[in-house]
Amino acid sequence: FLELILDVLDEKPRGRTKSHLRHSVIDAIKRHDIRLIMFDEADQFSRSTFEELRYIAGKTFCPMILVGLKRILSVIKPYEALDSRAYLSHHFKTLEEAEVLHTVFPGLVAPLWNFDPTNEKHLALGHHIWERTKPSLRLACAVIESASDIAALQQARRIAKKHVEEAMHHMRLPKRIATPPPDMPPGPHEA
């Protein structure tokens, strides 16, 4: 974990012991004048990782944002030294479909993906994707990327609903999403 932080900061570790790595991280944070560190998937961190973060934060006075699933609070709660430092928490609500269709999808960049929120066909396709993938933006993006690959293999000019359907059919999606419509034949790239 400490080596990863040094790598992100483009720093070389000075020594191989845990103590050397820890002090290298602290020095690097101070030297680069880092004022905020964000960690994604922090709900996966171990107790020792949290202890390292607590120690680093105490020595650098650099605030840290831990992003993770809702269970992150239950991971931190048993450790008083960590819990007492968790000043704020925020639960992000699922995006409304209007925001996905008018802000997120038009801003996505993928080959053969062109989304105009004023085009009724684009809106219908976007609604279809979001309806099958919500609340996961990651999943929606994965479907679009996979549909883009399928459309490119079929030498299409843009992603169409049939490409999205084939992408969803081939992806390991949650059960509520994975079942293709009964009238959908196997795609040409299924093998």
Side-chain angles (χ1 to χ4, degrees), residues 30-44:
K30 289 178 178 178
R31 196 170 47 262
H32 289 280
D33 193 30
I34 298 193
R35 302 191 183 185
L36 177 69
I37 302 175
M38 291 182 67
F39 294 97
D40 195 10
E41 298 185 11
D43 54 302
Q44 302 293 321

Side-chain angles (χ1 to χ4, degrees), residues 131-133 139 143 164-182 184:
E131 192 60 36
R132 308 262 314 266
T133 60
L139 191 54
V143 166
V164 169
E165 285 296 330
E166 188 173 342
M168 289 180 181
H169 178 69
H170 294 294
M171 293 175 71
R172 287 186 46 213
L173 302 177
K175 289 192 187 317
R176 66 178 175 81
I177 300 167
T179 309
M184 182 182 166

Side-chain angles (χ1 to χ4, degrees), residues 89-109:
S89 68
H90 183 77
H91 174 74
F92 291 93
K93 297 178 189 170
T94 301
L95 292 178
E96 296 291 329
E97 182 174 291
E99 185 173 1
V100 172
L101 295 178
H102 295 280
T103 305
V104 177
F105 284 176
L108 288 180
V109 177

